[in-house]
Amino acid sequence: MISLPIDEVLPALRQALRERHEAVLEAPPGAGKTTRVPLALLNESWLAGQRIVMLEPRRLAARAAAERLASELGEKVGETVGYRIRLDSKVGPTTRIEVVTEGILTRRLQEDPALEGVGLLIFDEFHERSLDADLALALSLNGRELFRDEQPLKILLMSATLEGERLASLLDDAPVLRSEGRMYPVAMRWGRPFVPGEFIEPRVVQTVLDAIHDESGSVLVFLPGQAEIRRVTQQLAEALGQRSDIALCPLHGELDLAAQRAAIEPAPSGTRKVVLATNIAETSLTIDGVRVVIDAGLAREPRFDPGSGMTRLDTQRISRASATQRAGRAGRLEPGVCYRLWSEDQHAQLAAYGSAEILQADLAGLALQLARWGVTPEQLFWLDVPPAASYAQARQLLERLGALRGPKLTPHGEAMAELPAHPRIAHLLLRGHDLGLAAMACDVAALLGERDILRGAGADVHSRLALLSGENRATRGGQGGVQ
């Protein structure tokens, strides 16, 4: 087993969790915390044969982490190490480490607030501050306080940013351990000033071509979303022609498993990879062989619009902390290079850290889960308390949907909370079933919850329903095509 930077702090982490029920671990991306920490704690006496549950912010990261942990043990996934994600799970009777996504844990807590049989709960990449992670931590702390007196549940927060003291204060001044990592120097190549509203694809394509010509090693390109990845991939394929020594590898959460693995695994001998990724590659995944990072400096983030009551994805400038994490991907194995497509003066004006999702997201799902738990936000411990106005608006929506009556859930609300969907979608599915229109409700829910299958074909839902049912397939090309 090769040495990793995190190995130096593992003895102190073991000691901290022997003495306390909480701890915070800071380690930069690539230090090895995801793959080493669960295995290092698996045989601790205080665990007493109980399981370790580790949360990952994304399905791709959860599956990749489980595969890596299992390979470290020389086993297959589903033996000592397993995973549970939406629509897929691999666990067995001997599983001791479960890697799960955050929504999975929230639903598990609702069914078993004590988390019986779980001795350690690890929140990996907690610095991302997703809404589901904040909710899961609040419910875990409350469930532990109420139901785990004899054998308390231990909680470990792992973060890649330097906010350890703030996290520790939430956990009764828990000890903070730090791994400095092992970084090679990364040379910064600053671009011209970024102009809001400009199309970034031409700059990205030219920078990739320059990097391929001037530098060695594989290239990791950060783009805000799937649309930009698709366009840049197409333009690079045209510019590179038939070069067999360059492999273009998109990487985002909607790809199938084979495509995701192609992006993560080392490039074949004699081949360089150009991985075009969303911020999924910022901290959650390790991509082998990367020596060059090209950062567009943008990310797509959910933003709740109180006027419309809906959440939309906005393209935002990243924080300085995110930019540092992205650049660090170039210095894992040898000295690297990072091309930043903005100026050094603009960099100083970026926010130090990204804001927590709970401060700007639609809170309808959170309000539904809190009502099911039987509490208000004031009764739980939060790193950032849900904004009062957004929470009140969320409860009003639940009342209009018939999910709430006073402080308690109605039977309809209980059924909504069982479904892993936004409350609006859950309401749609249940009402469709009651009206004998379950199949149509499922089709409409799929259309609302996924990317448009007929881009450029207007807003007519009937044409999309027809396509889902197998009708009008011959004419779909003229309507924009299936995406």
Side-chain angles (χ1 to χ4, degrees):
M1 187 179 292
I2 64 171
S3 174
L4 292 174
I6 199 70
D7 294 340
E8 296 179 4
V9 302
L10 292 179
L13 178 61
R14 292 190 188 98
Q15 185 63 31
L17 286 172
R18 288 180 193 133
E19 298 173 356
R20 289 285 305 268
H21 300 313
E22 311 87 5
V24 176
L25 175 61
E26 287 181 359
K33 57 185 181 297
T34 301
T35 52
R36 287 291 165 84
V37 168
L39 296 178
L41 299 174
L42 184 59
N43 295 317
E44 288 294 287
S45 59
W46 50 260
L47 199 56
Q50 298 181 100
R51 293 188 301 280
I52 295 173
V53 173
M54 181 167 71
L55 276 75
E56 291 292 336
R58 300 175 180 86
R59 288 176 287 168
L60 173 57
R63 192 161 48 199
E67 291 175 350
R68 184 66 179 268
L69 286 163
S71 70
E72 293 280 330
L73 295 173
E75 298 180 354
K76 294 181 179 179
V77 175
E79 297 178 30
T80 303
V81 182
Y83 67 81
R84 297 180 192 269
I85 61 177
R86 182 165 63 93
L87 304 179
D88 187 17
S89 67
K90 281 190 179 180
V91 295
T94 61
T95 298
R96 294 278 316 283
I97 299 173
E98 291 185 30
V99 188
V100 304
T101 45
E102 294 149 347
I104 295 289
L105 177 62
T106 299
R107 289 191 289 277
R108 185 166 173 176
L109 280 161
Q110 294 284 10
E111 296 168 1
D112 177 17
L115 289 181
E116 293 290 346
V118 177
L120 173 64
L121 194 53
I122 301 175
F123 289 76
D124 196 14
E125 312 295 358
F126 191 72
H127 60 272
E128 295 198 9
R129 297 296 312 284
S130 73
L131 180 62
D132 280 336
D134 276 3
L135 174 60
L137 179 58
L139 297 184
S140 300
L141 291 171
N142 190 242
R144 182 180 72 171
E145 181 182 10
L146 295 174
F147 302 109
R148 293 289 294 263
D149 289 334
E150 293 184 4
Q151 199 169 21
L153 173 71
K154 292 184 184 286
I155 293 176
L156 171 62
L157 302 185
M158 301 201 301
S159 171
T161 58
L162 303 177
E163 287 192 296
E165 279 72 19
R166 186 164 180 248
L167 299 179
S169 66
L170 180 68
L171 301 178
D172 194 23
D173 294 324
V176 179
L177 299 100
R178 292 183 173 90
S179 169
E180 299 302 328
R182 185 189 301 141
M183 287 289 298
Y184 290 90
V186 177
M188 293 298 165
R189 307 279 171 80
W190 298 97
R192 62 172 173 79
F194 170 78
V195 179
E198 74 172 311
F199 288 100
I200 61 169
E201 290 89 339
R203 290 185 65 186
V204 171
V205 170
Q206 187 58 53
T207 306
V208 171
L209 295 175
D210 292 343
I212 290 173
H213 181 268
D214 298 340
E215 305 291 343
S216 61
S218 291
V219 181
L220 173 59
V221 184
F222 284 100
L223 291 161
Q226 296 178 36
E228 291 84 359
I229 289 174
R230 185 173 60 249
R231 290 193 289 266
V232 170
T233 301
Q234 181 178 355
Q235 293 173 34
L236 282 174
E238 294 171 356
L240 293 169
Q242 301 299 315
R243 286 189 59 170
S244 59
D245 62 326
I246 303 294
L248 300 177
C249 302
L251 180 60
H252 53 77
E254 298 303 317
L255 292 173
D256 60 41
L257 182 58
Q260 292 172 351
R261 282 181 172 152
I264 296 171
E265 293 174 352
S269 178
T271 303
R272 299 167 66 187
K273 286 192 305 185
V274 177
V275 180
L276 301 119
T278 61
N279 58 1
I280 193 173
E282 190 172 300
T283 57
S284 299
L285 297 170
T286 295
I287 302 173
D288 291 319
V290 170
R291 186 183 161 272
V292 179
V293 165
I294 297 172
D295 188 359
L298 301 170
R300 201 147 286 147
E301 304 288 350
R303 291 289 184 272
F304 179 58
D305 181 1
S308 66
M310 301 294 288
T311 297
R312 66 179 187 275
L313 288 174
D314 280 352
T315 303
Q316 303 282 336
R317 301 297 305 277
I318 62 172
S319 67
R320 293 198 302 274
S322 290
T324 299
Q325 290 160 19
R326 293 180 177 191
R329 292 302 191 182
R332 290 282 314 285
L333 303 176
E334 59 181 313
V337 178
C338 177
Y339 294 79
R340 286 176 169 166
L341 304 189
W342 64 95
S343 70
E344 193 168 4
D345 287 341
Q346 286 179 322
H347 185 76
Q349 299 168 11
L350 296 176
Y353 297 98
S355 58
E357 187 180 0
I358 200 170
L359 299 177
Q360 55 206 9
D362 178 1
L363 299 184
L366 179 141
L368 184 64
Q369 293 301 325
L370 292 189
R372 188 183 182 194
W373 192 264
V375 296
T376 62
E378 294 77 15
Q379 295 172 275
L380 301 178
F381 293 102
W382 306 88
L383 201 58
D384 290 291
V385 177
S390 298
Y391 184 73
Q393 187 170 8
R395 286 187 59 88
Q396 291 168 7
L397 171 64
L398 296 180
E399 290 171 357
R400 292 199 305 272
L401 296 178
L404 278 181
R405 184 178 299 115
K408 295 186 178 181
L409 287 180
T410 64
H412 181 62
E414 292 280 0
M416 287 170 56
E418 292 282 350
L419 296 177
H422 186 279
R424 292 180 187 270
I425 301 297
H427 174 71
L428 163 70
L429 292 169
L430 292 170
R431 288 293 293 144
H433 179 270
D434 292 343
L435 295 170
L437 299 170
M440 179 179 287
C442 288
D443 284 348
V444 173
L447 291 174
L448 293 173
E450 300 296 334
R451 295 172 56 231
D452 191 358
I453 62 174
L454 280 178
R455 289 185 71 210
D460 180 25
V461 71
H462 296 289
S463 60
R464 290 162 175 80
L465 288 172
L467 180 57
L468 283 179
S469 67
E471 302 172 19
N472 298 331
R473 291 187 181 273
T475 62
R476 72 187 183 204
Q479 296 176 325
V482 177
Q483 301 299 307

